[in-house]
Amino acid sequence: MRLRHPGGDLVHLGYCTNVHPAEDLDGILAQLDTYALPVRARLAEPVLGIGLWLAHQVAAALAGDAGLTRRLRAELGARGLEVVTLNGFPYGGFHRPVVKHAVYRPDWTSPDRRRYTAHLARVLAGLLPDDVTEGSVSTLPFGWAADWSPHHTDRAREQIRLLGDELGAIRGRTGRTVRVAFEPEPGCLVETSTDAVRHLTGLDPRHFGLCLDVCHLAVAFETPAEALDRLARADIPVVKAQISCALHAEDPTDPATRAALTAFDEPRFLHQTRAAPPTAGTDHAPPAPPTAGADGPPPAPATAGTDDLPQALTGPTALDPTRPWRTHFHIPLHTDPAPPLASTRPVLRAALAALLRADTPVTRHLETETYTWSVLPRPPSDSTGLADGIAAELAWTRNELLALGLTAPAPAPAHPSAPHRSVR
């Protein structure tokens, strides 16, 4: 959906389709019929934005066949859907029974990661609406940090340099800019905004920037305004933001809290967990930002953490239970987990306010990204329940944006829409 910022910019809001498993074109279209169309109807939006996830096989097929890309664009238009951003983090197999660390492979040392991202950029340039000239692709932040060396960084930077050449060629050929956004994530080489400054400074902002996932920001116990200030001082653009909440445990010494956390231990996804640093707040609201010096805010707080939730709870790597914990488990935006757990929704509200400040938006691409519906302790029972949940998240986000002063603009350009008819 589209909203108008008080400064005049058009802001795009959609939901990320990595919540759905299909990895072939017919399956993707079928799941859009099952979920995206009911979501659009529930929201009464003439056009619904989606952050499309395309696994590497279908991305390669689309990039190599302009006719197939045109077909996808027509199919989206026929459904009243539009795409300005793609999620290029998972390479494939994102809904296998066990994903865990596999989601970080191939990393940016591999030509396969560059080729996949270039394919996505080429496809997105062909999918953008007629009145939109800039798209975004989010990707992993170089790779998993364990065993990463300066040699890995050199290899990754070479792949990124080659991608920059390809992105420039796409812009020259199509007149459309596609920027790739590295997404800081717990456990990766780039985990915090301080890491982003260290590793992303100097990349061409015409082609590269950052994807701010608010769940990840919260897990790192970062303050949104401070993190955005740090990025701005380093001239790192926030190309895209993923609207998401993490799981917050205020008192991990409490047996009821620990029992509740175990319900979120599941085998598919990695749930990195961090204990609050001494300077962090004592609840799930963002801590008060420290006073900035002449050179800007101090580094992001250092946090103790584990790769997964079970390691935080027991064993030699168990975290200090006297400090609050946050876990990388994307929690539905509009509702809280059962007490005594909480979500980091206060951090999300602070992030939205900082991203959409009164003068000009920091980013124009917003995407809800709760991909964990199927592994919640109480997941939706059927497709209707999942569509209801996605719609409720988008409605909550839309209301938050309207409260910040954004407004519904004039309708988007007409699509060959309702009643829906598949284009073959």
Side-chain angles (χ1 to χ4, degrees):
M1 66 187 76
R2 298 176 172 209
L3 296 149
R4 183 71 64 184
H5 186 270
D9 287 288
L10 196 64
V11 173
H12 296 268
L13 170 64
Y15 87 90
C16 184
T17 66
N18 66 353
V19 66
H20 309 312
E23 298 193 13
D24 64 280
L25 186 55
D26 287 340
I28 290 167
L29 294 173
Q31 68 192 13
L32 293 178
D33 289 338
T34 301
Y35 299 104
L37 287 183
V39 168
R40 182 168 71 85
R42 285 162 174 73
L43 295 169
E45 287 285 343
V47 177
L48 178 69
I50 56 171
L52 199 58
W53 174 55
L54 301 171
H56 68 99
Q57 300 100 324
V58 71
L62 288 162
D65 186 341
L68 198 61
T69 300
R70 286 193 295 271
R71 178 199 161 196
L72 175 56
R73 190 177 193 274
E75 295 278 8
L76 292 168
R79 290 164 171 80
L81 306 174
E82 67 177 12
V83 174
V84 301
T85 187
L86 299 179
N87 188 323
F89 199 127
Y91 187 73
F94 194 51
H95 288 265
R96 291 173 182 158
V98 179
V99 178
K100 299 292 183 180
H101 291 86
V103 75
Y104 307 111
R105 296 190 295 268
D107 62 28
W108 271 100
T109 64
S110 169
D112 289 341
R113 175 60 64 173
R114 173 189 37 92
R115 282 190 286 267
Y116 171 49
T117 311
H119 288 158
L120 291 175
R122 198 176 309 158
V123 172
L124 181 57
L127 295 181
L128 289 174
D130 290 339
D131 62 337
V132 175
T133 59
E134 183 175 307
S136 60
V137 177
S138 50
T139 186
L140 81 161
F142 286 52
W144 190 249
D147 300 321
W148 191 275
S149 70
H151 176 62
H152 289 94
T153 298
D154 291 342
R155 289 168 57 193
R157 285 190 171 277
E158 175 61 12
Q159 296 302 319
I160 292 166
R161 183 192 67 78
L162 293 171
L163 178 63
D165 293 341
E166 296 180 75
L167 296 174
I170 290 171
R171 186 178 67 247
R173 187 171 61 251
T174 68
R176 293 175 163 191
T177 297
V178 176
R179 291 196 289 175
V180 170
F182 296 93
E183 179 185 330
E185 171 150 342
C188 288
L189 184 68
V190 180
E191 176 166 344
T192 67
S193 59
T194 297
D195 298 330
V197 170
R198 181 180 304 119
H199 293 288
L200 303 184
T201 297
L203 296 182
D204 190 338
R206 295 174 302 170
H207 301 145
F208 301 106
L210 183 133
C211 172
L212 184 73
D213 187 304
V214 184
C215 168
H216 304 172
L217 182 91
V219 170
F221 286 89
E222 290 206 69
T223 302
E226 184 183 330
L228 291 173
D229 182 40
R230 184 177 295 112
L231 296 169
R233 286 172 178 267
D235 293 322
I236 298 172
V238 178
V239 174
K240 170 180 179 178
Q242 288 176 328
I243 309 307
S244 53
C245 289
L247 188 65
H248 180 92
E250 181 63 23
D251 181 13
T253 66
D254 172 33
T257 295
R258 299 179 77 84
L261 283 169
T262 62
F264 287 86
D265 174 19
E266 56 81 29
R268 178 173 294 161
F269 299 117
L270 204 61
H271 299 297
Q272 303 94 312
T273 300
R274 300 290 183 263
T279 56
T282 58
D283 60 16
H284 54 287
T291 302
D295 296 326
T303 56
T306 61
D307 284 2
D308 213 347
L309 180 56
Q311 301 162 3
L313 289 164
T314 60
T317 61
L319 295 181
D320 179 359
T322 66
R323 298 190 182 280
W325 295 358
R326 288 179 182 167
T327 295
H328 176 215
F329 196 119
H330 287 225
I331 299 298
L333 307 182
H334 61 291
T335 186
D336 289 315
L341 299 179
S343 89
T344 56
R345 192 181 304 113
V347 180
L348 177 54
R349 282 199 165 106
L352 289 173
L355 286 164
L356 298 161
R357 59 195 183 195
D359 51 350
T360 185
V362 175
T363 185
R364 296 187 298 277
H365 293 176
L366 305 176
E367 172 186 89
T368 62
E369 201 222 7
T370 304
Y371 59 84
T372 48
W373 283 98
S374 65
V375 295
L376 287 168
R378 294 183 178 179
S381 60
D382 55 22
S383 61
T384 299
L386 179 54
D388 287 344
I390 294 168
E393 287 195 303
L394 284 168
W396 181 90
T397 307
R398 179 175 61 185
N399 289 340
E400 292 292 315
L401 298 180
L402 293 174
L404 288 170
L406 280 72
T407 56
H415 289 258
S417 55
H420 163 59
R421 179 178 59 84
S422 182
V423 177
R424 297 290 178 182

